[in-house]
Amino acid sequence: MSAAGNQAATRLSTLVIGCGNTLRGDDGVGPEIVRRLARCTLPEHVRCVDAGTSGIDAVLAMRGADRVVVVDASCSGAVAGTIRESEIGPAGTAPAVGLAGHSIRWDHAVALGRSLLAGGCPLQVTAVLGEGSRFAAGDGLSPEVVEAIAAVVERLAARLSDGSTPQSLDRVSHARG
């Protein structure tokens, strides 16, 4: 088989990127989900990457992926532990100036990747956002987020293993009650 044929046969189809700072409480939800997901039995076409706080690493990791699931924390005022999922449209938005390495968020990374990687950037991008409540340096994950992580990992692993597209993931809303 030619090198090009071998590359096509092993092309990455789904990439799960965890974004966040594990030293700042619930901001570590993305890396924690990716770590747990990587311990699951997933098909060869699924790869998990912890991009930490580096948006540039997330951009570079997307190259050649058919689909990307970005997992990150949110702080929108919703109940801690709520998980939201949304599709990122093909246009995306990113400021043209004023971005430094650590200030590139996942949504900036998607837009930047589409600009820089052209045809090498996936068109199908799903964001899975976990609502946090504790973001101070030295905080651990809140109990609500820990509980939500288990449900997200279970659902993501099942969907990725059965061949479903990330956009068909169940919407998860978890609140302690």
Side-chain angles (χ1 to χ4, degrees):
M1 180 181 287
S2 71
N6 188 35
Q7 184 180 17
T10 60
R11 182 173 178 175
L12 174 66
S13 71
T14 302
L15 174 67
V16 183
I17 302 174
C19 299
N21 185 341
T22 58
L23 302 176
R24 296 190 73 84
D26 292 337
D27 193 40
V29 69
E32 182 62 23
I33 287 174
V34 165
R35 273 195 291 277
R36 291 186 190 193
L37 195 56
R39 291 188 294 237
C40 297
T41 303
L42 299 172
E44 285 183 23
H45 71 275
V46 177
R47 186 170 64 125
C48 298
V49 172
D50 177 354
T53 60
S54 175
I56 292 298
D57 287 342
V59 169
L60 296 175
M62 289 189 290
R63 182 185 306 254
D66 296 317
R67 300 178 294 185
V68 171
V69 177
V70 178
V71 186
D72 200 0
S74 65
C75 185
S76 68
V79 174
T82 299
I83 304 296
R84 291 185 316 277
E85 175 189 336
S86 63
E87 296 303 308
I88 308 303
T93 59
V97 295
L99 289 179
H102 287 351
S103 67
I104 299 176
R105 301 183 324 236
W106 63 267
D107 52 341
H108 296 144
V110 170
L112 185 60
R114 288 183 175 152
S115 174
L116 295 177
L117 303 177
C121 189
L123 293 178
Q124 184 178 354
V125 179
T126 303
V128 177
L129 304 174
E131 185 71 19
S133 63
R134 300 189 327 199
F135 294 95
D139 281 350
L141 293 168
S142 66
E144 298 87 355
V145 168
V146 169
E147 201 169 320
I149 286 171
V152 171
V153 169
E154 182 180 325
R155 286 181 173 96
L156 271 173
R159 295 294 185 182
L160 294 169
S161 293
D162 76 6
S164 298
T165 61
Q167 66 189 15
S168 68
L169 288 168
D170 293 333
R171 301 305 197 261
V172 179
S173 179
H174 174 80
R176 293 176 61 89

